[in-house]
Amino acid sequence: MRAPIGFRISNRRKNLRISQVSLARSLGISASYLNLIENNKRDIGGALLNRVAAQLLIDIDELAGRTEQKLLQDLEEAFADPVLESLPFRPDERRELVALYPASAGAVSRLHRAYSSAVGNADAYADRLRSDPLLSQLLHQILSGITAIRSSAEILEDVTDLDEAERRQFLAAIGRDSRTLSEVARNLIGQFDISSQIRRSVSPAREIDDLLIERENHFPLLEAVADELRAEIERAGPFGSATLSDLLSRRFGVKVRIGGPPDELDYPGQYRFDPATSLMWFHGATTLATRQFQLARLYGELAAPDAIAASLESATLSTPTARRLASRAVGSYLAGAMVFPYERILADAEACAYDIDHLRQAYHASFEQVAHRLVTLRRPGQQGIAFGFLRSDPAGRLTKHFPLPGLLLPNSGHACPLWAIYGAFRTPDVPLRQVVRFSDGSRYLFLARTVQRRTASFREQVVASSVMLACDVLQADRTVYGAGLDLSDLDADIRVGPSCRLCTRRDCASRQEEALSTTAGQSRTRGPLLPDALALGDPQ
């Protein structure tokens, strides 16, 4: 859209008290043509615009309206907004607004810019809530608490024949729910306050988590490709390390070497692929499960690079590190789908009541590989039990997680110290199960077990991790791990929280950190013996 130069010429001419006929004569054009220019019905530029600027004693940039041109573009964008586009604007309305009321036009532009920024921030917060299960579930707990309080209050208000004992029961429920709601709200505020203060950029690992959460850790394209690759491999022989090694050699020229030193003498890993030499090296101590999985992953990455790239096409990955880690995660997903074909693993899991030890033997896989595959059984209309997944190192730091709707699984740091994922370190290689209850009344079955990387010699340090699956207690009887448990006995539940900083249980003897609430400094159990405001020697 043209800038309203004609209006500016008209206004300037009138301010100088020059008639239209006189200005037209000095410019060497007719008065009627000048009239068309001043009403923005004719374009003006070049030598004529220079002559006009000289006659009106005004800078040509000011007359051409560079600022107004930008303002006009801003208004064009604002008036095209879906909120406004249905209004019956006249064709020249924006140009006239800029020419006749520039301050008002500027105000409209600023308001639209502020509105667009607010919408963008709202979208960003919505994306954060969708991708951050902690914040989402805190809000869900607040809504649940409000609903519970309202329900009890309505009963007290509407039911007139309650006896005194029943009335006291509902009042106690309102008080209890109110206190819990208050604590959850404080934790939510604390979470946002800390995020605002730190303002750290999203880490590559967090971007990978967001990708998996967005896709619900299920990639239909990769599942289909995995079925095709599995069939291709089985046509060459039984699925396993031997057939995979043979196919990698014949199709891609890859040599597989087990044992001996790696090319880099100080290489700390247990396997490595060198594209330059097409060599896949495995440490001599690696397990059969590790070799099978990593060979399947390499075969998938070499045979189906387009499928891996397509799975990441719409992902938000801001750094090369994030893209590299995402490609690794998707490659591992493809390998898992090859080792554990979807329909077969689902049928076998249901048949053995999700007995992971049975499944790992049947598929020559590790405990962690089976557990992670169970989390991905999310195909619409053909779903397994919905599991959450966590992995922790011996220091308690969470190194991998996939959330379960309704269950607060921390993104990083440490979870509740009472969770089975930490207790499993006390009983290595033995599954540990527990029924837990959160402060909002939700109950889950936790199953954890340690996994260790095999060492090659006595001098090597054992590297251990703990992995944990979690499912709603209502699904526990579908698993072998629910057998023998009295799931109706609430007193036997272990009272836990998501993490100390997000837990509302003030009476927990295992608390290691203060809550995120604004009243964290008022703790009676973790505060100083003397109040901060009281100095020794002060009168009491």
Side-chain angles (χ1 to χ4, degrees):
M1 180 177 287
R2 301 189 306 272
I5 299 176
F7 292 139
R8 296 182 63 81
I9 293 174
S10 177
N11 290 337
R12 178 66 175 175
R13 177 181 59 77
K14 292 174 182 178
N15 289 336
L16 295 176
R17 301 181 183 279
I18 300 174
S19 68
Q20 197 173 67
V21 173
S22 176
L23 179 59
R25 185 182 304 114
S26 63
L27 295 174
I29 59 176
S30 66
S32 60
Y33 189 78
L34 178 59
N35 183 64
L36 292 174
I37 291 175
E38 289 188 346
N39 284 282
N40 273 314
K41 294 181 180 180
R42 288 292 186 274
D43 290 330
I44 180 174
L48 179 57
L49 182 60
N50 286 325
R51 293 202 303 272
V52 171
Q55 292 293 327
L56 298 179
L57 305 176
I58 187 173
D59 186 81
I60 191 170
D61 286 337
E62 183 180 351
L63 181 62
R66 311 299 183 194
T67 303
E68 283 75 10
Q69 183 66 44
K70 176 62 172 63
L71 183 56
L72 195 59
Q73 294 173 354
D74 292 343
L75 286 187
E76 186 76 9
E77 180 181 352
F79 282 32
D81 193 286
V83 178
L84 302 177
E85 63 179 357
S86 61
L87 295 177
F89 295 114
R90 292 186 290 106
D92 293 335
E93 193 162 340
R94 279 150 283 190
R95 189 164 60 245
E96 292 178 7
L97 182 62
V98 170
L100 301 177
Y101 307 101
S104 297
V108 172
S109 174
R110 291 186 184 183
L111 287 173
H112 181 259
R113 195 178 304 119
Y115 164 77
S116 300
S117 177
V119 169
N121 289 337
D123 289 339
Y125 279 119
D127 289 340
R128 181 182 177 189
L129 291 176
R130 282 192 292 268
S131 64
D132 191 332
L134 286 176
L135 294 178
S136 178
Q137 292 304 319
L138 284 173
L139 290 176
H140 177 74
Q141 288 185 11
I142 289 176
L143 182 59
S144 298
I146 293 173
T147 302
I149 292 172
R150 179 178 178 181
S151 177
S152 298
E154 287 177 346
I155 292 175
L156 288 175
E157 182 180 11
D158 298 337
V159 180
T160 59
D161 57 348
L162 291 175
D163 58 33
E164 188 59 29
E166 292 174 327
R167 186 172 296 276
R168 285 198 301 271
Q169 180 181 355
F170 282 110
L171 288 173
I174 291 176
R176 182 177 62 254
D177 291 337
S178 298
R179 288 189 293 272
T180 299
L181 179 62
S182 176
E183 294 293 343
V184 173
R186 290 193 182 102
N187 283 349
L188 179 62
I189 294 171
Q191 178 82 343
F192 274 109
D193 285 346
I194 286 183
S195 298
S196 299
Q197 293 169 5
I198 297 176
R199 293 188 181 275
R200 291 180 297 184
S201 60
V202 177
S203 67
R206 179 60 186 278
E207 290 187 346
I208 307 306
D209 288 341
D210 290 346
L211 170 64
L212 296 178
I213 292 168
E214 177 187 346
R215 308 290 177 85
E216 295 186 349
N217 207 15
H218 182 70
F219 294 80
L221 173 61
L222 295 181
E223 295 284 354
V225 171
D227 288 342
E228 295 175 2
L229 295 178
R230 173 87 183 207
E232 179 180 292
I233 295 167
E234 290 180 333
R235 284 194 293 270
F239 185 88
S241 299
T243 303
L244 284 165
S245 298
D246 182 60
L247 271 178
L248 283 168
S249 175
R250 288 193 287 111
R251 184 174 176 185
F252 301 106
V254 173
K255 301 181 292 292
V256 178
R257 190 178 79 201
I258 301 174
D263 294 336
E264 297 179 19
L265 295 180
D266 59 347
Y267 184 71
Q270 289 208 318
Y271 53 86
R272 181 187 180 195
F273 176 66
D274 184 359
T277 60
S278 295
L279 174 65
M280 182 67 181
W281 169 82
F282 286 99
H283 197 292
T286 52
T287 64
L288 176 62
T290 298
R291 295 174 196 169
Q292 175 182 261
F293 188 89
Q294 296 304 328
L295 287 172
R297 176 180 154 202
L298 177 59
Y299 189 85
E301 291 180 350
L302 291 174
D306 293 342
I308 292 176
S311 298
L312 298 175
E313 190 172 18
S314 61
T316 302
L317 303 168
S318 59
T319 65
T321 300
R323 289 189 288 273
R324 177 174 57 84
L325 293 178
S327 179
R328 173 188 174 90
V330 171
S332 295
Y333 183 102
L334 180 60
M338 293 167 62
V339 174
F340 309 97
Y342 193 98
E343 294 183 0
R344 178 182 164 192
I345 185 65
L346 178 59
D348 289 346
E350 291 284 351
C352 71
Y354 292 84
D355 187 333
I356 297 178
D357 284 298
H358 173 79
L359 294 171
R360 63 189 289 225
Q361 295 295 330
Y363 288 86
H364 307 292
S366 69
F367 187 92
E368 182 175 357
Q369 289 169 7
V370 175
H372 201 274
R373 182 53 169 155
L374 293 180
V375 176
T376 66
L377 302 181
R378 304 289 177 87
R379 180 181 292 174
Q382 203 176 10
Q383 297 178 333
I385 292 177
F387 286 106
F389 178 93
L390 274 183
R391 186 178 67 191
S392 169
D393 62 19
R397 185 177 62 91
L398 303 179
T399 57
K400 183 185 289 187
H401 89 289
F402 185 76
L404 174 68
L407 172 61
L408 296 176
L409 294 183
N411 292 318
S412 59
H414 298 75
C416 173
L418 298 176
W419 285 11
I421 193 171
Y422 300 129
F425 284 111
R426 296 192 291 270
T427 56
D429 298 323
V430 177
L432 175 65
R433 64 181 181 177
Q434 61 180 187
V435 177
V436 301
R437 177 156 49 96
F438 287 75
S439 58
D440 63 351
S442 58
R443 304 170 68 220
Y444 298 90
L445 174 66
F446 284 175
L447 172 72
R449 177 175 176 157
T450 57
V451 294
Q452 297 183 358
R453 189 179 72 179
R454 185 183 295 178
T455 58
S457 68
F458 173 76
R459 291 183 176 86
E460 287 191 13
Q461 184 72 28
V462 174
V463 179
S465 299
S466 176
V467 297
M468 186 179 83
L469 286 178
C471 70
D472 192 292
V473 75
L474 297 177
Q475 303 292 330
D477 59 355
R478 294 177 57 189
T479 73
V480 66
Y481 308 105
L485 295 176
D486 185 0
L487 301 177
S488 63
D489 184 7
L490 299 182
D491 293 335
D493 293 351
I494 298 175
R495 301 173 64 194
V496 300
S499 66
C500 287
R501 297 170 68 191
L502 293 169
C503 184
T504 62
R505 298 191 188 280
R506 297 288 178 174
D507 58 345
C508 179
S510 298
R511 179 176 287 280
Q512 301 297 313
E513 293 181 89
E514 289 290 0
L516 283 173
S517 68
T518 55
T519 58
Q522 301 177 13
S523 171
R524 292 183 298 165
T525 59
R526 299 184 62 81
L529 295 178
L530 290 173
D532 292 342
L534 177 65
L536 292 178
D538 285 351
Q540 299 185 22

